[in-house]
Amino acid sequence: MKLATPSPRHTVANHNTAPTDGEPTDAACRGTSHPEALPQESPAADVETTDPAGASSSWPAPSTSSARPVPVSMRPEPFWEPLRLRLFRFFWMASLASNLGTWIHEVGAGWLMTTLQGSPEMVAAVRTSMSLPIVFLAIPAGVLADRFDKRRLLIMTQSLLFGVTAILAVLTWSGHITAWGLLALTFVMGLGMVVHVPTWQSAIPELVPRNQISRAVGLGSISFNLARTLGPALGGVLIALVGIWSTFAINACTFAGVVMVLISWQRTANESSRGRSFGSSLRQGVRYVAIHPVMRHVMLGVVLFVLPGSSLWSLLPLYAKTELGWGSSGFGILVACVGAGAVSGAALLPRLRHRFGSDRLVAAAMCLFAGGQAIMSFSPSWQILLPAVLLMGAGWMATLTTLNATAQITLPTRLRARGMGCYLTMMAGSMAVGSLLWGQIAGQIGLGGALFSAAILMLFTAIVGLFFPLATRLDD
């Protein structure tokens, strides 16, 4: 299966080639003091040039893309446009199935631990064992993805995840699983996921034209939120009708499906270490992110949003139980509303971003999220609360999708996985620190006070973010 060549109306200058094979210098990464004026690279950026003395150099040839600017469409294409591409459509369907299986698996793993050893610490340790590798290993995993063939690496990680979940299903079905065995297998799954995620995300620009990357990222967000909305409910039904082992078996089947799609991917691009050591490649990726102004602003934007925004996810279960008295079913309703808001907002995102630009859209989405936090802090009636949570889901999706797409478009091809590893590390770290922070604050001033404080902080960080512009056009 081959990806069709984009039609002439989609042809744009290649902005994803690496600026240099060596360490990125300040001049190569900055280009100019304002991100919007950064020079864009031409398709010839990877060819070797010769200096006046005849010495071979790996520095990029001068850009010529500025001589022929891409015309801005008056009406952006619909958000589902990437699904017209056969290969991306198969990838998206595989991703949706995998995300659904992951959420079903999480419900099964959490419930299984309650039957094995029901202490709060052990139940919480299930999620920690899955997410811990992302905080510490996402950047090294990105180095792997930039040095080895992405298709083979994805097949290896999906095969590993298939094997682990299949073993877990068999052990649970036979009654031989233990609490520590569950944690060990979950940790191995976390190791597989930490390699899979940056590799998968860095492969998206190979599946769609550059002007559709933001839509492709938005469709990925829809896939995740649809799965988050439906997965827990399906997991509960499977546990009740079939047994806990079935949740792991379903997840194993989704991983097998992803492997089949990856096998059919006829990929021509090849990664290479280019003679660099693993440590040197890691430093190169981190240094590029640190020096490039747009990437610095993306990382700062993640911190400015996730740090106050993490209050929603860290406090939502307790909020549903104590403030609303809704119990576990009420918590599921709130999570479903967040997902539904994200899916609904994705349909409007390209038009809003086309009209207002990335920077103003992110600031407005953060303010929208802050408004929802403020409304939640007063524990209103469900007629007011549920629409507010829907808007928070839209704000969450709009902000992170825009930041994610900006990073993918800005990063050069052979540094993209390392850059996305930095992005994931910053997001996971901010989520972990924020969750701990808001838990402590809620213990001191109550849930309502913590949510209102988070809303005030979110408004402040939205204003601060305007001083660090992304200045990147995503939809043209």
Side-chain angles (χ1 to χ4, degrees):
M1 173 181 350
K2 295 184 178 179
L3 177 62
T5 304
S7 61
R9 68 189 181 92
H10 291 309
T11 303
V12 294
N14 182 1
H15 298 272
N16 296 321
T17 51
T20 173
D21 190 34
E23 284 287 328
T25 63
D26 289 11
C29 294
R30 290 195 180 99
T32 183
S33 59
H34 196 279
E36 193 169 25
L38 283 171
Q40 303 294 342
E41 298 160 334
S42 70
D46 286 332
V47 301
E48 288 195 346
T49 60
T50 305
D51 63 19
S56 177
S57 170
S58 60
W59 292 96
S63 172
T64 59
S65 63
S66 59
R68 292 183 296 174
V70 180
V72 177
S73 173
M74 295 303 294
R75 179 174 295 179
E77 294 173 338
F79 75 95
W80 64 81
E81 187 69 20
L83 292 176
R84 297 180 187 274
L85 301 172
R86 187 166 180 256
L87 181 57
F88 178 82
R89 184 167 63 250
F90 284 166
F91 264 75
W92 186 85
M93 293 170 63
S95 177
L96 175 60
S98 181
N99 287 331
L100 195 60
T102 298
W103 281 101
I104 292 173
H105 179 109
E106 284 204 9
V107 171
W111 192 257
L112 176 60
M113 183 58 81
T114 63
T115 66
L116 297 173
Q117 190 170 334
S119 67
E121 292 81 7
M122 291 297 286
V123 174
V126 174
R127 170 159 287 195
T128 301
S129 62
M130 174 73 82
S131 59
L132 200 61
I134 296 179
V135 178
F136 296 103
L137 299 176
I139 299 177
V143 177
L144 282 177
D146 281 334
R147 292 167 66 92
F148 300 102
D149 182 74
K150 287 184 173 64
R151 175 177 170 272
R152 292 183 180 179
L153 196 58
L154 286 169
I155 290 175
M156 289 172 58
T157 58
Q158 293 297 299
S159 299
L160 171 66
L161 292 168
F162 167 77
V164 172
T165 50
I167 291 172
L168 184 56
V170 171
L171 290 176
T172 305
W173 174 76
S174 63
H176 290 92
I177 190 66
T178 64
W180 288 105
L182 173 60
L183 291 180
L185 289 172
T186 303
F187 182 77
V188 175
M189 286 191 65
L191 292 176
M193 291 300 294
V194 76
V195 178
H196 165 78
V197 174
T199 308
W200 184 278
Q201 291 200 359
S202 65
I204 290 176
E206 298 184 30
L207 307 177
V208 297
R210 183 182 186 274
N211 68 317
Q212 293 187 18
I213 290 177
S214 64
R215 293 175 179 82
V217 174
L219 287 168
S221 177
I222 289 177
S223 165
F224 179 82
N225 283 287
L226 277 175
R228 180 166 59 186
T229 302
L230 301 176
L234 292 176
V237 171
L238 284 171
I239 291 172
L241 297 181
V242 184
I244 299 176
W245 68 271
S246 64
T247 61
F248 308 135
I250 289 292
N251 199 24
C253 292
T254 65
F255 289 133
V258 175
V259 170
M260 298 302 295
V261 172
L262 290 169
I263 290 174
S264 67
W265 182 16
Q266 302 300 317
R267 186 170 184 263
T268 57
N270 289 305
E271 284 72 27
S272 171
S273 65
R274 300 183 181 270
R276 287 181 171 273
S277 67
F278 189 92
S280 176
S281 296
L282 190 149
R283 289 191 298 271
Q284 182 189 27
V286 173
R287 188 163 184 258
Y288 184 90
V289 170
I291 290 176
H292 197 291
V294 174
M295 287 306 301
R296 283 203 313 269
H297 296 175
V298 167
M299 299 299 154
L300 180 61
V302 170
V303 175
L304 292 176
F305 176 68
V306 175
L307 199 60
S310 61
S311 62
L312 173 67
W313 301 111
S314 60
L315 302 179
L316 193 61
L318 197 58
Y319 179 85
K321 181 178 181 180
T322 60
E323 297 293 313
L324 303 178
W326 287 3
S328 59
S329 60
F331 172 64
I333 291 173
L334 291 176
V335 171
C337 283
V338 174
V343 172
S344 301
L348 300 175
L349 186 58
R351 291 181 178 275
L352 293 174
R353 188 164 48 220
H354 183 82
R355 180 171 182 177
F356 299 107
S358 297
D359 297 309
R360 285 187 289 177
L361 175 64
V362 168
M366 291 174 70
C367 291
L368 189 69
F369 193 92
Q373 288 175 308
I375 292 174
M376 284 184 65
S377 68
F378 294 104
S379 301
S381 62
W382 67 268
Q383 293 92 336
I384 298 175
L385 177 63
L386 296 186
V389 175
L390 283 168
L391 293 177
M392 291 175 73
W396 181 274
M397 182 279 308
T399 302
L400 291 183
T401 297
T402 300
L403 292 171
N404 186 298
T406 300
Q408 295 207 38
I409 287 178
T410 302
L411 288 164
T413 300
R414 57 189 127 156
L415 294 174
R416 185 173 292 123
R418 278 166 280 182
M420 294 311 297
C422 293
Y423 176 93
L424 292 170
T425 299
M426 196 67 68
M427 183 172 176
S430 300
M431 183 70 74
V433 172
S435 297
L436 180 63
L437 173 67
W438 296 115
Q440 295 295 320
I441 293 175
Q444 297 295 322
I445 63 176
L447 291 174
L451 287 169
F452 192 80
S453 299
I456 298 298
L457 180 59
M458 180 72 81
L459 290 174
F460 174 75
T461 57
I463 296 172
V464 171
L466 291 173
F467 292 93
F468 300 92
L470 303 174
T472 301
R473 186 172 292 279
L474 300 179
D475 301 307
D476 304 308

mmCIF file of all heavy atoms in Angstrom, residues 414-459:
data_model
loop_
_atom_site.group_PDB
_atom_site.id
_atom_site.type_symbol
_atom_site.label_atom_id
_atom_site.label_comp_id
_atom_site.label_asym_id
_atom_site.label_seq_id
_atom_site.Cartn_x
_atom_site.Cartn_y
_atom_site.Cartn_z
ATOM 1 N N ARG A 414 15.014 14.510 10.613
ATOM 2 C CA ARG A 414 15.865 13.574 11.343
ATOM 3 C C ARG A 414 16.037 13.931 12.813
ATOM 4 O O ARG A 414 16.781 13.268 13.529
ATOM 5 C CB ARG A 414 17.218 13.443 10.666
ATOM 6 C CG ARG A 414 17.966 14.737 10.501
ATOM 7 C CD ARG A 414 19.183 14.510 9.633
ATOM 8 N NE ARG A 414 19.191 15.449 8.522
ATOM 9 C CZ ARG A 414 20.288 15.799 7.883
ATOM 10 N NH1 ARG A 414 21.427 15.306 8.224
ATOM 11 N NH2 ARG A 414 20.241 16.647 6.893
ATOM 12 N N LEU A 415 15.360 14.994 13.256
ATOM 13 C CA LEU A 415 15.337 15.326 14.683
ATOM 14 C C LEU A 415 13.938 15.251 15.260
ATOM 15 O O LEU A 415 13.744 15.516 16.443
ATOM 16 C CB LEU A 415 15.896 16.734 14.915
ATOM 17 C CG LEU A 415 17.375 16.974 14.618
ATOM 18 C CD1 LEU A 415 17.707 18.452 14.773
ATOM 19 C CD2 LEU A 415 18.251 16.150 15.541
ATOM 20 N N ARG A 416 12.962 14.862 14.440
ATOM 21 C CA ARG A 416 11.565 14.993 14.861
ATOM 22 C C ARG A 416 11.220 14.091 16.040
ATOM 23 O O ARG A 416 10.544 14.514 16.980
ATOM 24 C CB ARG A 416 10.624 14.705 13.693
ATOM 25 C CG ARG A 416 9.153 14.946 14.046
ATOM 26 C CD ARG A 416 8.252 14.829 12.849
ATOM 27 N NE ARG A 416 8.501 15.909 11.917
ATOM 28 C CZ ARG A 416 8.847 15.719 10.642
ATOM 29 N NH1 ARG A 416 8.995 14.487 10.181
ATOM 30 N NH2 ARG A 416 9.047 16.745 9.857
ATOM 31 N N ALA A 417 11.663 12.852 16.027
ATOM 32 C CA ALA A 417 11.324 11.942 17.130
ATOM 33 C C ALA A 417 11.953 12.415 18.437
ATOM 34 O O ALA A 417 11.337 12.331 19.499
ATOM 35 C CB ALA A 417 11.775 10.519 16.801
ATOM 36 N N ARG A 418 13.198 12.929 18.360
ATOM 37 C CA ARG A 418 13.827 13.448 19.575
ATOM 38 C C ARG A 418 13.079 14.676 20.090
ATOM 39 O O ARG A 418 12.870 14.838 21.296
ATOM 40 C CB ARG A 418 15.297 13.806 19.289
ATOM 41 C CG ARG A 418 16.239 12.633 19.349
ATOM 42 C CD ARG A 418 17.588 12.960 18.747
ATOM 43 N NE ARG A 418 17.562 12.876 17.294
ATOM 44 C CZ ARG A 418 18.617 13.080 16.508
ATOM 45 N NH1 ARG A 418 19.782 13.402 17.052
ATOM 46 N NH2 ARG A 418 18.523 12.961 15.202
ATOM 47 N N GLY A 419 12.654 15.537 19.171
ATOM 48 C CA GLY A 419 11.891 16.708 19.578
ATOM 49 C C GLY A 419 10.559 16.336 20.194
ATOM 50 O O GLY A 419 10.136 16.924 21.199
ATOM 51 N N MET A 420 9.866 15.336 19.607
ATOM 52 C CA MET A 420 8.598 14.905 20.176
ATOM 53 C C MET A 420 8.814 14.188 21.506
ATOM 54 O O MET A 420 7.952 14.216 22.385
ATOM 55 C CB MET A 420 7.862 13.997 19.198
ATOM 56 C CG MET A 420 7.421 14.684 17.909
ATOM 57 S SD MET A 420 6.554 16.262 18.172
ATOM 58 C CE MET A 420 5.111 15.725 19.078
ATOM 59 N N GLY A 421 9.983 13.561 21.676
ATOM 60 C CA GLY A 421 10.313 12.987 22.979
ATOM 61 C C GLY A 421 10.433 14.065 24.040
ATOM 62 O O GLY A 421 9.968 13.902 25.174
ATOM 63 N N CYS A 422 11.056 15.200 23.660
ATOM 64 C CA CYS A 422 11.131 16.343 24.584
ATOM 65 C C CYS A 422 9.735 16.855 24.908
ATOM 66 O O CYS A 422 9.431 17.192 26.066
ATOM 67 C CB CYS A 422 11.982 17.457 23.978
ATOM 68 S SG CYS A 422 13.733 17.075 23.787
ATOM 69 N N TYR A 423 8.876 16.923 23.892
ATOM 70 C CA TYR A 423 7.502 17.387 24.088
ATOM 71 C C TYR A 423 6.760 16.479 25.076
ATOM 72 O O TYR A 423 6.106 16.956 26.010
ATOM 73 C CB TYR A 423 6.789 17.405 22.733
ATOM 74 C CG TYR A 423 5.326 17.786 22.788
ATOM 75 C CD1 TYR A 423 4.924 19.101 22.618
ATOM 76 C CD2 TYR A 423 4.340 16.816 22.986
ATOM 77 C CE1 TYR A 423 3.574 19.443 22.652
ATOM 78 C CE2 TYR A 423 2.998 17.152 23.031
ATOM 79 C CZ TYR A 423 2.626 18.467 22.860
ATOM 80 O OH TYR A 423 1.297 18.799 22.913
ATOM 81 N N LEU A 424 6.861 15.175 24.887
ATOM 82 C CA LEU A 424 6.178 14.226 25.775
ATOM 83 C C LEU A 424 6.736 14.280 27.187
ATOM 84 O O LEU A 424 5.986 14.173 28.164
ATOM 85 C CB LEU A 424 6.302 12.810 25.210
ATOM 86 C CG LEU A 424 5.542 12.543 23.913
ATOM 87 C CD1 LEU A 424 5.951 11.190 23.329
ATOM 88 C CD2 LEU A 424 4.039 12.593 24.136
ATOM 89 N N THR A 425 8.061 14.441 27.295
ATOM 90 C CA THR A 425 8.672 14.551 28.621
ATOM 91 C C THR A 425 8.167 15.789 29.348
ATOM 92 O O THR A 425 7.840 15.734 30.537
ATOM 93 C CB THR A 425 10.204 14.608 28.495
ATOM 94 O OG1 THR A 425 10.670 13.401 27.886
ATOM 95 C CG2 THR A 425 10.860 14.768 29.854
ATOM 96 N N MET A 426 8.111 16.913 28.626
ATOM 97 C CA MET A 426 7.632 18.140 29.249
ATOM 98 C C MET A 426 6.171 18.014 29.668
ATOM 99 O O MET A 426 5.784 18.458 30.760
ATOM 100 C CB MET A 426 7.792 19.305 28.261
ATOM 101 C CG MET A 426 7.691 20.675 28.883
ATOM 102 S SD MET A 426 9.057 21.036 29.998
ATOM 103 C CE MET A 426 10.414 21.134 28.839
ATOM 104 N N MET A 427 5.368 17.358 28.841
ATOM 105 C CA MET A 427 3.952 17.214 29.168
ATOM 106 C C MET A 427 3.755 16.274 30.355
ATOM 107 O O MET A 427 3.009 16.588 31.296
ATOM 108 C CB MET A 427 3.199 16.695 27.951
ATOM 109 C CG MET A 427 1.697 16.576 28.171
ATOM 110 S SD MET A 427 0.826 16.172 26.646
ATOM 111 C CE MET A 427 -0.853 15.996 27.289
ATOM 112 N N ALA A 428 4.431 15.118 30.323
ATOM 113 C CA ALA A 428 4.277 14.156 31.416
ATOM 114 C C ALA A 428 4.824 14.714 32.720
ATOM 115 O O ALA A 428 4.228 14.530 33.790
ATOM 116 C CB ALA A 428 4.982 12.849 31.062
ATOM 117 N N GLY A 429 5.951 15.416 32.644
ATOM 118 C CA GLY A 429 6.520 16.015 33.851
ATOM 119 C C GLY A 429 5.628 17.089 34.433
ATOM 120 O O GLY A 429 5.425 17.160 35.656
ATOM 121 N N SER A 430 5.054 17.942 33.563
ATOM 122 C CA SER A 430 4.154 18.994 34.041
ATOM 123 C C SER A 430 2.893 18.401 34.650
ATOM 124 O O SER A 430 2.377 18.899 35.659
ATOM 125 C CB SER A 430 3.778 19.933 32.885
ATOM 126 O OG SER A 430 4.919 20.557 32.335
ATOM 127 N N MET A 431 2.404 17.308 34.043
ATOM 128 C CA MET A 431 1.208 16.656 34.577
ATOM 129 C C MET A 431 1.491 16.061 35.959
ATOM 130 O O MET A 431 0.670 16.186 36.880
ATOM 131 C CB MET A 431 0.747 15.559 33.612
ATOM 132 C CG MET A 431 -0.531 14.863 34.033
ATOM 133 S SD MET A 431 -2.001 15.914 33.888
ATOM 134 C CE MET A 431 -2.223 15.915 32.110
ATOM 135 N N ALA A 432 2.664 15.430 36.101
ATOM 136 C CA ALA A 432 3.002 14.818 37.384
ATOM 137 C C ALA A 432 3.189 15.870 38.473
ATOM 138 O O ALA A 432 2.653 15.741 39.586
ATOM 139 C CB ALA A 432 4.267 13.974 37.234
ATOM 140 N N VAL A 433 3.937 16.934 38.157
ATOM 141 C CA VAL A 433 4.177 17.994 39.143
ATOM 142 C C VAL A 433 2.873 18.712 39.482
ATOM 143 O O VAL A 433 2.573 18.993 40.649
ATOM 144 C CB VAL A 433 5.226 18.986 38.615
ATOM 145 C CG1 VAL A 433 5.339 20.202 39.539
ATOM 146 C CG2 VAL A 433 6.582 18.307 38.480
ATOM 147 N N GLY A 434 2.079 19.006 38.437
ATOM 148 C CA GLY A 434 0.813 19.693 38.668
ATOM 149 C C GLY A 434 -0.155 18.885 39.501
ATOM 150 O O GLY A 434 -0.821 19.413 40.399
ATOM 151 N N SER A 435 -0.251 17.583 39.223
ATOM 152 C CA SER A 435 -1.154 16.729 39.993
ATOM 153 C C SER A 435 -0.766 16.717 41.467
ATOM 154 O O SER A 435 -1.625 16.807 42.354
ATOM 155 C CB SER A 435 -1.131 15.304 39.427
ATOM 156 O OG SER A 435 -1.599 15.288 38.097
ATOM 157 N N LEU A 436 0.536 16.608 41.725
ATOM 158 C CA LEU A 436 1.006 16.633 43.112
ATOM 159 C C LEU A 436 0.710 17.977 43.766
ATOM 160 O O LEU A 436 0.233 18.046 44.905
ATOM 161 C CB LEU A 436 2.505 16.341 43.145
ATOM 162 C CG LEU A 436 3.167 16.336 44.535
ATOM 163 C CD1 LEU A 436 2.577 15.227 45.402
ATOM 164 C CD2 LEU A 436 4.682 16.154 44.393
ATOM 165 N N LEU A 437 0.946 19.057 43.016
ATOM 166 C CA LEU A 437 0.736 20.404 43.550
ATOM 167 C C LEU A 437 -0.732 20.637 43.902
ATOM 168 O O LEU A 437 -1.052 21.100 45.008
ATOM 169 C CB LEU A 437 1.202 21.438 42.519
ATOM 170 C CG LEU A 437 0.908 22.909 42.833
ATOM 171 C CD1 LEU A 437 1.707 23.368 44.043
ATOM 172 C CD2 LEU A 437 1.226 23.784 41.621
ATOM 173 N N TRP A 438 -1.629 20.316 42.981
ATOM 174 C CA TRP A 438 -3.053 20.604 43.226
ATOM 175 C C TRP A 438 -3.646 19.668 44.266
ATOM 176 O O TRP A 438 -4.597 20.043 44.965
ATOM 177 C CB TRP A 438 -3.832 20.540 41.913
ATOM 178 C CG TRP A 438 -3.387 21.592 40.955
ATOM 179 C CD1 TRP A 438 -2.778 21.406 39.750
ATOM 180 C CD2 TRP A 438 -3.471 23.005 41.145
ATOM 181 N NE1 TRP A 438 -2.477 22.607 39.172
ATOM 182 C CE2 TRP A 438 -2.895 23.617 40.007
ATOM 183 C CE3 TRP A 438 -3.967 23.816 42.157
ATOM 184 C CZ2 TRP A 438 -2.807 24.990 39.849
ATOM 185 C CZ3 TRP A 438 -3.878 25.202 42.018
ATOM 186 C CH2 TRP A 438 -3.307 25.765 40.884
ATOM 187 N N GLY A 439 -3.105 18.482 44.389
ATOM 188 C CA GLY A 439 -3.539 17.611 45.474
ATOM 189 C C GLY A 439 -3.215 18.202 46.832
ATOM 190 O O GLY A 439 -4.033 18.166 47.760
ATOM 191 N N GLN A 440 -2.006 18.776 46.946
ATOM 192 C CA GLN A 440 -1.608 19.401 48.205
ATOM 193 C C GLN A 440 -2.441 20.646 48.491
ATOM 194 O O GLN A 440 -2.873 20.886 49.628
ATOM 195 C CB GLN A 440 -0.123 19.774 48.153
ATOM 196 C CG GLN A 440 0.813 18.577 48.049
ATOM 197 C CD GLN A 440 0.750 17.693 49.284
ATOM 198 O OE1 GLN A 440 0.670 18.190 50.406
ATOM 199 N NE2 GLN A 440 0.773 16.383 49.077
ATOM 200 N N ILE A 441 -2.687 21.453 47.460
ATOM 201 C CA ILE A 441 -3.480 22.676 47.640
ATOM 202 C C ILE A 441 -4.912 22.334 48.030
ATOM 203 O O ILE A 441 -5.511 22.975 48.909
ATOM 204 C CB ILE A 441 -3.448 23.534 46.361
ATOM 205 C CG1 ILE A 441 -2.028 24.067 46.123
ATOM 206 C CG2 ILE A 441 -4.443 24.686 46.435
ATOM 207 C CD1 ILE A 441 -1.874 24.834 44.822
ATOM 208 N N ALA A 442 -5.490 21.316 47.388
ATOM 209 C CA ALA A 442 -6.857 20.909 47.723
ATOM 210 C C ALA A 442 -6.945 20.424 49.161
ATOM 211 O O ALA A 442 -7.962 20.634 49.838
ATOM 212 C CB ALA A 442 -7.330 19.814 46.767
ATOM 213 N N GLY A 443 -5.891 19.786 49.644
ATOM 214 C CA GLY A 443 -5.889 19.346 51.032
ATOM 215 C C GLY A 443 -5.878 20.498 52.019
ATOM 216 O O GLY A 443 -6.366 20.359 53.148
ATOM 217 N N GLN A 444 -5.357 21.648 51.574
ATOM 218 C CA GLN A 444 -5.269 22.811 52.459
ATOM 219 C C GLN A 444 -6.504 23.703 52.377
ATOM 220 O O GLN A 444 -6.994 24.190 53.401
ATOM 221 C CB GLN A 444 -4.013 23.629 52.115
ATOM 222 C CG GLN A 444 -2.706 22.888 52.338
ATOM 223 C CD GLN A 444 -2.457 22.555 53.793
ATOM 224 O OE1 GLN A 444 -2.768 23.362 54.685
ATOM 225 N NE2 GLN A 444 -1.928 21.363 54.048
ATOM 226 N N ILE A 445 -7.010 23.954 51.173
ATOM 227 C CA ILE A 445 -8.096 24.936 51.018
ATOM 228 C C ILE A 445 -9.364 24.328 50.421
ATOM 229 O O ILE A 445 -10.334 25.050 50.163
ATOM 230 C CB ILE A 445 -7.643 26.141 50.156
ATOM 231 C CG1 ILE A 445 -7.289 25.691 48.738
ATOM 232 C CG2 ILE A 445 -6.454 26.839 50.808
ATOM 233 C CD1 ILE A 445 -6.932 26.858 47.814
ATOM 234 N N GLY A 446 -9.377 23.026 50.161
ATOM 235 C CA GLY A 446 -10.567 22.379 49.622
ATOM 236 C C GLY A 446 -10.539 22.295 48.107
ATOM 237 O O GLY A 446 -9.780 23.004 47.431
ATOM 238 N N LEU A 447 -11.396 21.434 47.563
ATOM 239 C CA LEU A 447 -11.432 21.232 46.117
ATOM 240 C C LEU A 447 -11.853 22.488 45.363
ATOM 241 O O LEU A 447 -11.258 22.845 44.339
ATOM 242 C CB LEU A 447 -12.388 20.085 45.774
ATOM 243 C CG LEU A 447 -11.949 18.679 46.178
ATOM 244 C CD1 LEU A 447 -13.071 17.680 45.910
ATOM 245 C CD2 LEU A 447 -10.702 18.281 45.412
ATOM 246 N N GLY A 448 -12.886 23.163 45.866
ATOM 247 C CA GLY A 448 -13.356 24.378 45.197
ATOM 248 C C GLY A 448 -12.285 25.446 45.160
ATOM 249 O O GLY A 448 -12.073 26.100 44.127
ATOM 250 N N GLY A 449 -11.595 25.636 46.264
ATOM 251 C CA GLY A 449 -10.529 26.639 46.309
ATOM 252 C C GLY A 449 -9.382 26.293 45.385
ATOM 253 O O GLY A 449 -8.810 27.170 44.725
ATOM 254 N N ALA A 450 -9.042 24.998 45.302
ATOM 255 C CA ALA A 450 -7.955 24.584 44.421
ATOM 256 C C ALA A 450 -8.317 24.804 42.955
ATOM 257 O O ALA A 450 -7.504 25.297 42.162
ATOM 258 C CB ALA A 450 -7.621 23.113 44.668
ATOM 259 N N LEU A 451 -9.554 24.458 42.568
ATOM 260 C CA LEU A 451 -9.981 24.651 41.186
ATOM 261 C C LEU A 451 -10.035 26.132 40.822
ATOM 262 O O LEU A 451 -9.649 26.526 39.715
ATOM 263 C CB LEU A 451 -11.346 24.000 40.965
ATOM 264 C CG LEU A 451 -11.349 22.466 40.911
ATOM 265 C CD1 LEU A 451 -12.774 21.931 40.964
ATOM 266 C CD2 LEU A 451 -10.638 21.966 39.655
ATOM 267 N N PHE A 452 -10.504 26.975 41.752
ATOM 268 C CA PHE A 452 -10.561 28.404 41.466
ATOM 269 C C PHE A 452 -9.150 28.980 41.354
ATOM 270 O O PHE A 452 -8.880 29.830 40.493
ATOM 271 C CB PHE A 452 -11.352 29.127 42.560
ATOM 272 C CG PHE A 452 -11.702 30.542 42.201
ATOM 273 C CD1 PHE A 452 -12.770 30.810 41.360
ATOM 274 C CD2 PHE A 452 -10.966 31.615 42.694
ATOM 275 C CE1 PHE A 452 -13.104 32.114 41.019
ATOM 276 C CE2 PHE A 452 -11.287 32.912 42.359
ATOM 277 C CZ PHE A 452 -12.362 33.169 41.512
ATOM 278 N N SER A 453 -8.239 28.525 42.207
ATOM 279 C CA SER A 453 -6.852 28.984 42.131
ATOM 280 C C SER A 453 -6.221 28.571 40.801
ATOM 281 O O SER A 453 -5.476 29.346 40.182
ATOM 282 C CB SER A 453 -6.042 28.405 43.294
ATOM 283 O OG SER A 453 -6.570 28.827 44.540
ATOM 284 N N ALA A 454 -6.527 27.351 40.358
ATOM 285 C CA ALA A 454 -6.016 26.887 39.073
ATOM 286 C C ALA A 454 -6.563 27.732 37.926
ATOM 287 O O ALA A 454 -5.854 28.013 36.947
ATOM 288 C CB ALA A 454 -6.370 25.414 38.866
ATOM 289 N N ALA A 455 -7.832 28.150 38.036
ATOM 290 C CA ALA A 455 -8.429 28.999 37.001
ATOM 291 C C ALA A 455 -7.717 30.349 36.928
ATOM 292 O O ALA A 455 -7.422 30.853 35.834
ATOM 293 C CB ALA A 455 -9.918 29.194 37.284
ATOM 294 N N ILE A 456 -7.437 30.941 38.076
ATOM 295 C CA ILE A 456 -6.720 32.220 38.102
ATOM 296 C C ILE A 456 -5.328 32.062 37.499
ATOM 297 O O ILE A 456 -4.870 32.893 36.702
ATOM 298 C CB ILE A 456 -6.625 32.772 39.549
ATOM 299 C CG1 ILE A 456 -8.030 33.040 40.104
ATOM 300 C CG2 ILE A 456 -5.776 34.027 39.592
ATOM 301 C CD1 ILE A 456 -8.818 34.072 39.341
ATOM 302 N N LEU A 457 -4.641 30.983 37.869
ATOM 303 C CA LEU A 457 -3.305 30.745 37.321
ATOM 304 C C LEU A 457 -3.368 30.523 35.818
ATOM 305 O O LEU A 457 -2.499 30.999 35.069
ATOM 306 C CB LEU A 457 -2.680 29.523 38.010
ATOM 307 C CG LEU A 457 -1.276 29.142 37.552
ATOM 308 C CD1 LEU A 457 -0.296 30.291 37.782
ATOM 309 C CD2 LEU A 457 -0.798 27.869 38.257
ATOM 310 N N MET A 458 -4.390 29.823 35.339
ATOM 311 C CA MET A 458 -4.523 29.576 33.901
ATOM 312 C C MET A 458 -4.725 30.885 33.138
ATOM 313 O O MET A 458 -4.144 31.082 32.056
ATOM 314 C CB MET A 458 -5.693 28.628 33.641
ATOM 315 C CG MET A 458 -5.925 28.295 32.174
ATOM 316 S SD MET A 458 -4.671 27.194 31.480
ATOM 317 C CE MET A 458 -5.258 25.614 32.059
ATOM 318 N N LEU A 459 -5.519 31.792 33.670
ATOM 319 C CA LEU A 459 -5.694 33.098 33.012
ATOM 320 C C LEU A 459 -4.369 33.850 32.943
ATOM 321 O O LEU A 459 -4.040 34.479 31.926
ATOM 322 C CB LEU A 459 -6.734 33.931 33.771
ATOM 323 C CG LEU A 459 -8.184 33.451 33.682
ATOM 324 C CD1 LEU A 459 -9.072 34.283 34.595
ATOM 325 C CD2 LEU A 459 -8.697 33.539 32.246
#
